[in-house]
Amino acid sequence: MAEPVPLRRGSVSERFVKCGKSACPCAQDARARHGPYFSLTHAVKGQTQSRFLSAHQATVARHQIERGQRFRSEVDAYRKRCERAADQELSKVEAAPQEAAKKGGSKRSSKPRSGPPPSGKSKP
């Protein structure tokens, strides 16, 4: 983990679009639409950001996304193993006595005072 590996979150989409010109074949035939156009979409601080990619960049980005998904999977599996190890460690430690675990808090060990504050100074 010392050296960064190219991985990312997000998705790559491929689109074919109509150009809007009425004389263009794409207006009538879906198979004649322009493209493919590729875009990489991901969230940054709660905002969706997209950028256009070339076909080659789209292939590379898809591999980076797959690597990122595998990495997150491995981290999740590692975290689960760590939690199981932590549970095993806790089970080996002597449990707290039942009386201390009961609700209700502890009883007061001192009696309430009356008289001047503990600083020794009295109020006028």
Side-chain angles (χ1 to χ4, degrees):
M1 298 226 344
E3 290 298 316
V5 176
L7 54 86
R8 67 174 65 246
R9 292 182 181 206
S11 63
V12 174
S13 60
E14 179 178 335
R15 296 184 183 140
F16 293 85
V17 296
K18 287 196 269 185
C19 68
K21 296 178 183 175
S22 59
C24 184
C26 72
Q28 303 300 322
D29 186 6
R31 292 173 295 179
R33 291 190 177 161
H34 303 281
Y37 295 105
F38 299 94
S39 63
L40 170 65
T41 304
H42 62 285
V44 176
K45 296 182 183 177
Q47 300 279 331
T48 301
Q49 293 189 347
S50 295
R51 73 181 201 201
F52 286 106
L53 304 174
S54 68
H56 180 67
Q57 287 175 322
T59 300
V60 172
R62 283 185 180 118
H63 290 297
Q64 292 171 344
I65 292 166
E66 288 170 8
R67 236 183 267 131
Q69 290 169 341
R70 280 194 308 270
F71 176 74
R72 283 189 299 281
S73 241
E74 291 168 6
V75 168
D76 288 343
Y78 178 71
R79 183 179 295 120
K80 287 178 184 177
R81 290 193 310 269
C82 289
E83 288 176 1
R84 282 195 300 269
D87 287 342
Q88 288 174 354
E89 183 181 45
L90 279 179
S91 69
K92 292 176 185 176
V93 176
E94 187 176 326
Q98 284 294 89
E99 289 179 23
K102 289 182 182 177
K103 290 187 174 183
S106 61
K107 295 186 178 185
R108 291 186 111 172
S109 60
S110 62
K111 297 179 182 178
R113 296 184 231 192
S114 61
S119 65
K121 296 182 182 178
S122 59
K123 293 185 181 178

